[in-house]
Amino acid sequence: MPIKWVLHWQPNAGHTVNSQILAEVSQCVESINGVKEGKWKATLSFYRPVMKEQANPAEFPRDFLGISLPEQPNKYYFVLRGQRLVVEADSTIQTIMEKLQSYKTRVALNFEGFQYQLGDFQLRVGKVVSIQSESLRGIVMEMEYKPISSWEKSHKIMGEFFDIWQEALSKRPLPGHFVHMEPNFGEFGLSGQYTLQHTAVQYATIMLQMIATAQSVRN
Amino acid sequence: MLRLDGSRRRLDEISPPVKSPNLAKSHSTLISVKRVRLNHRRRPVTADHHLISDHTTLDIGKGKEKCYNQISSKVSMECVVQGIIETQHVEALEILLLGLCGVPKESLRVHELILKSVPNLGLEASEIRILCDLMQPEPAWTVRHVGGSMRGAGADQISVLVRTMVESKASKNVLRLFYLLGYKLDHELLRVGFAFHFHLRGAQITVTVSSYSKMLKLHGTESTDDNVPVSPGIQMVEVTAPASAENYSEVAAAVSSFCEYLAPLLHLSKPGVSTGVVPTAAAAAASLMSFSGSTNM
């Protein structure tokens, strides 16, 4: 499984994301000879416990994430960030969760956009939108390097490519930048060989960051 | 291999035997499976209304069955019947199944963990089964949810139980997931035996013959000292087939038809409807064993 970095757009202080930024980012990928290939889409849902009135909320996780990825549409990933747990299951697990009625999905987000090919790299640029309101919540970018599946071995080449990308983007006056956050995969029990569970953990990590950013803007 | 009429015949090539009240007939039944071709069409269920208790409703029209509205095509169902057999007759049953199914058996060793939600989680209590297949080189984990069974006059007319059932394969840490979500281990069982998987009239049938053991030590699947048979001397036989809202009637008919072949050895009925061992089992088993002894196994 090729290595992948999942990046998110961090707006400068006092700014928010907007569709103009997304358009500029997409143009920038094309300006460095990225060949547009097609659309992609991932989804992320927040599951929250259904509790009886007398329940102590501390008894249960406040929420956890359910993620579907375009590489394996028949699989589904659960991430409990606090407990450092990532679970891979068949997509039918969503039906099982519905039937149990102990946790419900409260917020669901789509990550969708276009995919580009750039030599051995595959780039995906996408908007983060709420399924309910379609409002733009953020911008994400996936950077995949096909020849390598070892997280450690890929670090140098991924870092170099990220620098080139940042430089290309810096030529446009955009109010923010892409951030790469590296989760501690070992804490989740994941090895250095890249899997889709690594991707799910990265999505959970950027989600946390995007929520923190949204909250700081609101405050 | 059990030979019927000189050559092994598959179930879909033969017709169901007539249920026989005595052993003499049962014996002839076992062998008579070779004679007639199966073109038997069962009377369709004609109930007006079936109810599946976990929030799904089935409306079934007269004659040709149709399902409407509230049941989604995603709803997975299964048809199931169960029975018991004395362990001493299991070998005969295996010979019969081998001859009928025309496929080799698979060994079964499954660790079943039954989890229940803690009192304050969910508006109603819920139960989930986590299964670990110990026959695989790496233990393979599955989450199973068994939902409500079909109810109503129409369901009563069918001799098999139709219920919702959803399964999902999962990574090995799925048990930890459910513990963290607020599910507690209610009990755990070790199921050991064998299974046959085959197709009959469009239904994908699985027959399992197994014994259940309680565990004396938590997760003690390794040593036989750590588990005790739930019903010594008795094995559980279960016939299941996945179905959908569109085809469950045909699948139920196929399962029901298959059960008739096993009638001399055991009686299969809806789960919860215990019918015990059949009085003809010993003689039927003896005749099967002698029959198999004279043929090339």
Side-chain angles (χ1 to χ4, degrees), chain A residues 1-5 120 143-155 157-158 185 190-199 202:
Chain A
M1 173 105 235
I3 191 83
K4 181 183 287 187
W5 282 13
D120 285 336
M143 247 169 61
E144 182 176 291
Y145 184 59
K146 290 181 174 174
I148 297 181
S149 59
S150 158
W151 184 262
E152 210 170 14
K153 285 181 188 163
S154 65
H155 226 266
I157 191 156
M158 292 298 273
F185 292 121
L190 300 175
S191 74
Q193 283 299 306
Y194 198 79
T195 65
L196 286 177
Q197 294 188 49
H198 291 74
T199 303
Q202 290 198 69

Side-chain angles (χ1 to χ4, degrees), chain A residues 50 52 86 88 90 92 102-103, chain B residues 119 122 167 171 173 181 183:
Chain A
V50 178
K52 290 195 180 127
V86 55
E88 183 182 70
D90 290 346
T92 49
S102 48
Y103 284 79
Chain B
E167 276 190 344
S171 50
N173 50 5
L181 296 187
Y183 283 79

Side-chain angles (χ1 to χ4, degrees), chain B residues 244-255:
Chain B
S244 68
E246 287 75 29
N247 75 350
Y248 76 91
S249 183
E250 287 80 7
V251 173
V255 170

Side-chain angles (χ1 to χ4, degrees), chain B residues 15-194:
Chain B
S15 115
V18 180
K19 232 179 194 171
S20 44
N22 58 48
L23 173 64
K25 274 196 169 177
S26 299
H27 187 183
S28 67
T29 298
L30 289 176
I31 300 163
S32 74
V33 291
K34 69 190 177 196
R35 291 197 187 121
V36 218
R37 291 209 153 257
L38 179 62
N39 253 331
H40 183 81
R41 203 173 160 72
R42 304 208 151 243
R43 189 170 60 86
V45 177
T46 55
D48 296 322
H49 190 79
H50 295 271
L51 193 69
I52 285 196
S53 56
D54 61 341
H55 319 288
T56 45
T57 301
L58 282 178
D59 284 316
I60 298 174
K62 297 262 181 196
K64 178 73 183 164
E65 297 83 358
K66 279 189 179 172
C67 302
Y68 300 103
N69 305 332
Q70 293 178 44
I71 191 152
S72 124
S73 59
K74 277 185 177 176
V75 173
S76 306
M77 297 159 82
E78 71 170 0
C79 295
V80 57
V81 283
Q82 291 174 343
I84 55 171
I85 187 168
E86 289 174 83
T87 303
Q88 57 188 327
H89 303 322
V90 166
E91 194 180 346
L93 176 63
E94 185 184 334
I95 289 166
L96 179 60
L97 288 170
L98 192 60
L100 291 172
C101 308
V103 291
K105 71 168 183 179
E106 286 176 19
S107 295
L108 194 73
R109 191 175 169 85
V110 179
H111 181 192
E112 294 194 12
L113 300 113
I114 295 89
L115 275 59
K116 289 190 173 168
S117 57
V118 295
N120 288 332
L121 180 64
L123 298 177
E124 288 179 7
S126 54
E127 182 181 292
I128 192 84
R129 285 168 182 266
I130 313 273
L131 314 178
C132 181
D133 183 352
L134 300 171
M135 289 307 294
Q136 305 299 321
E138 279 287 310
W141 294 82
T142 301
V143 183
R144 175 184 289 172
H145 179 267
V146 178
S149 54
M150 202 166 72
R151 291 187 277 127
D156 292 342
Q157 286 178 25
I158 311 176
S159 59
V160 308
L161 186 81
V162 183
R163 65 189 179 192
T164 60
M165 195 279 292
V166 190
E167 276 190 344
S168 168
K169 290 192 175 65
S171 50
K172 62 184 176 187
N173 50 5
V174 71
L175 184 60
R176 191 176 159 226
L177 170 75
F178 279 97
Y179 283 159
L180 288 170
L181 296 187
Y183 283 79
K184 292 270 179 274
L185 181 67
D186 185 69
H187 61 281
E188 56 181 339
L189 297 164
L190 181 65
R191 189 180 181 195
V192 179
F194 59 86

Side-chain angles (χ1 to χ4, degrees), chain A:
Chain A
M1 173 105 235
I3 191 83
K4 181 183 287 187
W5 282 13
V6 181
L7 319 166
H8 71 280
W9 180 257
Q10 178 77 52
N12 291 341
H15 289 82
T16 54
V17 287
N18 59 57
S19 51
Q20 182 57 35
I21 298 171
L22 182 67
E24 290 265 2
V25 170
S26 301
Q27 282 169 20
C28 188
V29 177
E30 287 177 35
S31 73
I32 55 171
N33 298 325
V35 181
K36 202 181 214 176
E37 282 195 321
K39 290 183 175 178
W40 68 279
K41 181 177 164 184
T43 66
L44 184 148
S45 300
F46 283 81
Y47 283 83
R48 301 231 163 100
V50 178
M51 291 179 284
K52 290 195 180 127
E53 277 179 17
Q54 65 271 27
N56 171 12
E59 263 186 274
F60 310 108
R62 201 170 67 88
D63 59 39
F64 68 94
L65 301 177
I67 301 169
S68 78
L69 300 169
E71 288 88 346
Q72 278 278 15
N74 295 330
K75 295 284 179 195
Y76 200 69
Y77 299 86
F78 286 132
V79 182
L80 276 76
R81 290 163 300 188
Q83 291 77 10
R84 302 284 186 267
L85 182 71
V86 55
V87 173
E88 183 182 70
D90 290 346
S91 56
T92 49
I93 194 83
Q94 295 169 84
T95 313
I96 291 176
M97 295 308 293
E98 273 173 39
K99 286 183 174 292
L100 289 175
Q101 297 199 20
S102 48
Y103 284 79
K104 295 252 181 199
T105 53
R106 302 290 187 199
V107 184
L109 299 170
N110 280 343
F111 296 74
E112 53 191 342
F114 285 95
Q115 183 171 304
Y116 302 86
Q117 212 61 42
L118 199 71
D120 285 336
F121 286 89
Q122 180 182 274
L123 303 180
R124 284 173 173 167
V125 178
K127 58 182 179 179
V128 185
V129 289
S130 159
I131 289 176
Q132 289 87 352
S133 69
E134 279 285 321
S135 59
L136 186 68
R137 303 292 184 91
I139 296 170
V140 289
M141 187 170 169
E142 287 188 4
M143 247 169 61
E144 182 176 291
Y145 184 59
K146 290 181 174 174
I148 297 181
S149 59
S150 158
W151 184 262
E152 210 170 14
K153 285 181 188 163
S154 65
H155 226 266
K156 188 163 179 285
I157 191 156
M158 292 298 273
E160 285 172 3
F161 185 81
F162 185 49
D163 290 344
I164 292 168
W165 166 247
Q166 294 277 63
E167 197 184 322
L169 204 59
S170 66
K171 289 172 186 157
R172 295 164 191 260
L174 295 173
H177 57 286
F178 277 103
V179 176
H180 172 235
M181 299 187 65
E182 191 171 322
N184 187 339
F185 292 121
E187 285 181 354
F188 285 85
L190 300 175
S191 74
Q193 283 299 306
Y194 198 79
T195 65
L196 286 177
Q197 294 188 49
H198 291 74
T199 303
V201 169
Q202 290 198 69
Y203 268 100
T205 307
I206 65 160
M207 208 55 242
L208 199 65
Q209 197 55 41
M210 283 165 65
I211 291 168
T213 306
Q215 281 171 347
S216 68
V217 168
R218 226 178 284 141
N219 297 336

Side-chain angles (χ1 to χ4, degrees), chain B residues 82-86 89 233-237 262-281:
Chain B
Q82 291 174 343
I84 55 171
I85 187 168
E86 289 174 83
H89 303 322
I234 296 284
Q235 302 234 354
M236 166 82 86
V237 181
L262 309 181
L265 273 175
L266 79 157
H267 184 67
L268 293 150
S269 56
K270 294 179 182 181
V273 183
S274 174
T275 49
V277 293
V278 294
T280 55

